[in-house]
């Protein structure tokens, strides 16, 4: 299992911004946005992978998992 699978990835429509907004709560602050829901999700997955790589390169522990499977096992 890839480390990124441990984190929930959320893409939702923002009425305020009139676009899709992607986030990964608990792992990254901010996220990405755009007009195409699938493109936003794909970009978000890339951002999550990059964030995990940064944590690992800096020798920092990853934040607690946010996937529903991980949360249910606690």
């Amino acid at each position: 299992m890839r480390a990124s699978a441990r984190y929930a990835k959320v893409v939702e429509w923002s009425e305020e911004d009139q676009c899709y907004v992607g986030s990964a709560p608990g792992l990254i602050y901010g996220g990405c946005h755009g007009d195409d829901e699938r493109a936003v999700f794909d970009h978000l997955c890339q951002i999550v992978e990059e964030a995990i790589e940064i944590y690992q390169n800096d020798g920092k522990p990853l934040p607690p998992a946010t996937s529903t499977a991980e949360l249910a096992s606690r």
Side-chain angles (χ1 to χ4, degrees):
M1 174 179 72
R2 296 172 75 146
S4 62
R6 299 179 62 227
Y7 296 95
K9 297 161 197 74
V10 179
V11 175
E12 56 192 344
W13 179 256
S14 169
E15 286 295 330
E16 180 180 342
D17 299 317
Q18 290 295 297
C19 65
Y20 291 99
V21 177
S23 62
L27 180 65
I28 59 172
Y29 297 100
C32 55
H33 64 280
D35 296 329
D36 182 281
E37 183 178 15
R38 182 62 203 201
V40 170
F41 182 77
D42 291 344
H43 189 205
L44 178 59
C45 289
Q46 179 184 356
I47 291 169
V48 167
E49 291 287 341
E50 291 170 359
I52 290 170
E53 187 176 323
I54 290 168
Y55 273 95
Q56 292 171 338
N57 288 342
D58 289 348
K60 295 181 180 178
L62 290 171
T66 58
S67 72
T68 54
E70 293 282 342
L71 291 173
S73 69
R74 290 186 187 169

